[in-house]
Amino acid sequence: MTVKPLPVPPLEDTLSRFLTAAEPLVDPETLERTREQTERFASEEGPRLQAALEEFARAEDAEGRSWLSREWLNGYLTVRTPLPLTTSVGFQITGDYGAPGLGRAAELVYRAASVHLRQVRGETPQEVDPRGNPVSMTQWECLTGGVRHPRPERDEIRRPGWAASSSGAGTGGAPAADAAEIGVIHRGRLYALPVSTGDRRPVPLRTVAEGLRAVLERDEPRETELPFGALSYLGSEAAAPLLDRLTGNPHNAEVYERLTRMLFVVHLVEARAELEEHLERAAFEVGHAWAYKPITYEVCLEDDWLAMHVEHSTVDGATILAVAGALQEVAVPEEAPLPDAPAPSALTWDLTSGLRADLVTAVAAYRAEAAMLGVHRVVVPRPHRAELPFRISDDAAQQLVMLLAQLATYGRVRGVYEAVDMREYRAGRTECLRPVTPQAVAFVRALHEHTATEGLFTAALDAHRDWVKACKSARGVDRHLLGLALMARELGEPSEFLASPALAAVRHDFLSTTSIGGPDAIVRYAFAPTTPEGFGVTYTAGTDGYEFCVNHRRDTSEDLEGFAHNLAAAADTLWEFVGTLHP
């Protein structure tokens, strides 16, 4: 099935939509100046940059990429700050994998190994969107393992390069000498556990359980000061030279190569916790992952917690949703354990006293920064569809609730980012929907002042729907302007428009928001806010309500308590208004 290439939107459409996005966020004087800058851009450098981008797109299409591919990846790989505090995400997932304990952990690992090994064998089925269109499978490549390798200026993605099958396959389904391994983190220590047979099939569930039991029975003391994965929580600026020093030792270089080849890592958590605490720990706390691996799973042995820590460079939430769904669909056969399965082996770093001291100092600084990040959950009512006067998009409703909460808390509205899946295009990632439309602002202002009308409401819903359609048809604003800025840089052509305050205001995301729909595979997730004063908000539609996970900085996020309170109040206000409407 062929995935269509990512088109370059018409210049005039993007500029018109940009002005609409800027209108609610800047004062009238700035808006008028921005209109003048936009007109000059449209008649002067804009067409030249557009032509260059279209030519670049044709060249990239011929290579099987999109015009956005390399610049998008480069934006991630040049991040120098700690990934868990910048771009990585902690997802709580769900699945009927049994009661808490060793058996449930083993079933999660077996299911994950099945899905990852299927990708290694090249047998992952083609994914399609709800309309039956094929989507790009590029992001699934992260399931084969590998690492993001920190470098001083730009990191590298290193993949294992699996052979199609093992020439040294063991007999009777036994693991081969080069069987695929996973990493098991327990009490801050890492163990390598083989999970595949010679033909890249998962070992039996009972063999996985025996391996995990062997890890637990070691009963090693907890490594608290410097867990195995501690270095990976440092940003590349600090991590790259430390990793070079670490792997200068041949033993450590071998451990790092083994870590790189692992399909994934799983963290066995011993202590039960409240949901918010689990989320914060999985996303931000040192030692829960090798944070430069694409995926680290997490399972608590004492409660229902299941999670994935995801490094975001090469994979987005929609693919992680598909992976979490694929785990649920794995059939677990009743098989006898392998008679001669290799035992898990402990992997350790050989640290000089100087390197250890430097790592301890750097990790302490990370912990101090991570302690500033928190997650606050707010659940608000949601009427049953039968109670609504007409169809109201859950996504639009939740964005209107957040917008009204902004207005009620701060007396003004600021920029909001909403991610939209774009994988139906070649090498597709995400587009940015800008939900703070003039129509939405007019409606929530009227709602706040008790003067809202059905006309204002439907105009806000229509404007949101128009943005959704534009993004899904590759006619969003943010990515196109990113491409034009890339061309300006390549051609050495400065642009007043691309440096305008209005464009900066549109891109300054007081709320960075994202939703993956309902809680059937991914329940909720945590990530760092993208602005010091703002929030990262994940929102999920349940049967009877909407849940907002408000990710915040304890030191700088602006009035968390007021915003959280007004989310609930805004939902009440919205649905009270909707109740006055008639079909």
Side-chain angles (χ1 to χ4, degrees):
M1 302 175 77
T2 303
V3 179
K4 55 194 174 187
L6 180 67
V8 177
L11 180 61
E12 58 272 21
D13 288 1
T14 294
L15 297 181
S16 174
R17 190 172 292 277
F18 160 71
L19 288 173
T20 300
E23 183 179 333
L25 301 175
V26 298
D27 59 68
E29 182 180 342
T30 301
L31 182 61
E32 183 56 36
R33 188 164 60 249
T34 302
R35 287 196 176 105
E36 295 170 358
Q37 292 170 333
T38 305
E39 288 178 7
R40 285 196 297 273
F41 181 80
S43 62
E44 297 177 8
E45 72 268 27
R48 293 192 295 273
L49 299 180
Q50 176 79 358
L53 183 58
E54 290 170 351
E55 181 179 353
F56 178 65
R58 287 189 289 271
E60 291 294 275
D61 287 344
E63 297 295 325
R65 297 185 293 264
S66 80
W67 54 266
L68 186 60
S69 299
R70 288 191 284 181
E71 184 68 7
W72 190 250
L73 181 59
N74 190 58
Y76 278 105
L77 297 183
T78 53
V79 169
R80 303 291 85 194
T81 47
L83 301 183
L85 307 185
T86 313
T87 57
S88 295
V89 183
F91 293 91
Q92 182 189 358
I93 62 175
T94 187
D96 184 13
Y97 306 151
L102 175 66
R104 183 165 177 261
E107 186 158 333
L108 171 68
V109 169
Y110 177 87
R111 289 170 179 268
S114 298
V115 173
H116 285 249
L117 287 167
R118 185 175 65 184
Q119 178 67 25
V120 170
R121 298 193 306 271
E123 297 175 3
T124 300
Q126 173 65 54
E127 190 183 350
V128 297
D129 68 13
R131 298 181 301 279
N133 299 314
V135 303
S136 171
M137 300 297 288
T138 303
Q139 295 181 34
W140 285 81
E141 293 173 7
C142 75
L143 270 67
T144 63
V147 293
R148 170 173 167 166
H149 178 69
R151 302 300 300 152
E153 295 182 359
R154 183 185 186 276
D155 295 352
E156 302 169 357
I157 299 298
R158 295 185 175 180
R159 297 281 187 235
W162 295 101
S165 62
S166 172
S167 59
T171 59
D178 62 344
E181 291 182 324
I182 65 166
V184 180
I185 297 175
H186 181 239
R187 295 182 178 175
R189 302 171 186 273
L190 184 72
Y191 303 86
L193 179 65
V195 292
S196 80
T197 60
D199 58 355
R200 305 293 188 221
R201 306 283 171 176
V203 298
L205 173 62
R206 293 183 187 179
T207 300
V208 174
E210 288 176 354
L212 296 182
R213 182 178 293 108
V215 168
L216 297 177
E217 288 177 349
R218 286 175 178 258
D219 198 26
E220 296 280 2
R222 184 175 301 279
E223 177 57 71
T224 55
E225 183 180 52
L226 207 61
F228 180 90
L231 184 150
S232 71
Y233 283 76
L234 306 178
S236 295
E237 186 173 4
L242 289 169
L243 184 60
D244 283 346
R245 289 167 61 188
L246 181 72
T247 55
N249 177 315
H251 164 80
N252 293 335
E254 183 178 339
V255 169
Y256 186 67
E257 176 59 26
R258 202 165 170 183
L259 174 66
T260 298
R261 288 185 59 81
M262 287 175 178
L263 288 176
F264 58 85
V265 174
V266 61
H267 178 215
L268 305 181
V269 179
E270 292 182 308
R272 63 175 58 245
E274 297 297 324
L275 279 175
E276 289 88 347
E277 189 176 8
H278 267 315
L279 268 174
E280 291 173 8
R281 289 175 175 175
F284 311 124
E285 187 173 86
V286 170
H288 286 240
W290 183 266
Y292 286 99
K293 288 288 284 184
I295 297 175
T296 298
Y297 296 91
E298 182 166 284
V299 54
C300 183
L301 303 175
E302 297 294 331
D303 63 25
D304 291 335
W305 178 254
L306 296 171
M308 297 167 70
H309 180 105
V310 176
E311 198 283 295
H312 203 352
S313 296
T314 62
V315 63
D316 297 315
T319 298
I320 295 301
L321 177 66
V323 171
L327 298 186
Q328 296 177 344
E329 296 169 0
V330 170
V332 183
E334 185 65 34
E335 299 175 295
L338 299 179
D340 300 312
S345 54
L347 301 184
T348 60
W349 300 122
D350 183 4
L351 301 177
T352 65
S353 58
L355 179 54
R356 182 178 182 88
D358 289 346
L359 280 169
V360 167
T361 299
V363 170
Y366 171 88
R367 284 182 165 128
E369 190 173 355
M372 293 297 103
L373 290 169
V375 180
H376 183 85
R377 288 195 305 142
V378 179
V379 179
V380 306
R382 173 202 186 201
H384 190 276
R385 288 193 182 277
E387 302 175 64
L388 300 176
F390 44 79
R391 185 181 182 279
I392 299 173
S393 156
D394 281 323
D395 189 74
Q398 289 169 103
Q399 287 291 347
L400 289 172
V401 166
M402 287 186 279
L403 192 59
L404 179 56
Q406 265 207 75
L407 182 64
T409 307
Y410 312 108
R412 60 182 176 133
V413 298
R414 282 169 278 185
V416 177
Y417 173 105
E418 179 183 348
V420 176
D421 179 29
M422 292 287 286
R423 293 175 306 144
E424 65 186 79
Y425 297 96
R426 183 178 300 150
R429 296 297 301 262
T430 62
E431 181 53 272
C432 172
L433 188 157
R434 292 295 176 184
V436 184
T437 63
Q439 296 89 340
V441 173
F443 170 66
V444 298
R445 286 193 186 281
L447 198 58
H448 188 56
E449 297 166 359
H450 308 289
T451 59
T453 65
E454 182 174 347
L456 288 172
F457 184 42
T458 56
L461 295 178
D462 289 345
H464 188 85
R465 188 180 304 112
D466 179 65
W467 264 98
V468 172
K469 290 179 178 178
C471 290
K472 295 301 288 184
S473 60
R475 291 185 293 110
V477 169
D478 283 61
R479 308 309 182 232
H480 188 193
L481 293 181
L482 176 65
L484 294 174
L486 171 63
M487 294 300 101
R489 188 171 71 240
E490 293 291 322
L491 298 175
E493 181 155 4
S495 171
E496 181 187 29
F497 166 76
L498 292 174
S500 67
L503 181 53
V506 169
R507 288 173 167 169
H508 189 82
D509 304 320
F510 180 71
L511 300 183
S512 180
T513 73
T514 180
S515 177
I516 305 182
D520 295 335
I522 291 178
V523 185
R524 54 184 64 88
Y525 40 115
F527 61 92
T530 59
T531 57
E533 75 280 11
F535 303 97
V537 184
T538 69
Y539 53 99
T540 306
T543 304
D544 300 316
Y546 297 140
E547 179 182 283
F548 297 91
C549 278
V550 185
N551 301 279
H552 59 279
R553 289 193 58 91
R554 294 183 171 93
D555 53 344
T556 58
S557 289
E558 190 175 331
D559 194 3
L560 167 66
E561 290 186 7
F563 181 63
H565 168 79
N566 282 316
L567 282 172
D572 289 339
T573 300
L574 175 64
W575 298 128
E576 181 181 347
F577 165 78
V578 169
T580 68
L581 305 179
H582 302 287

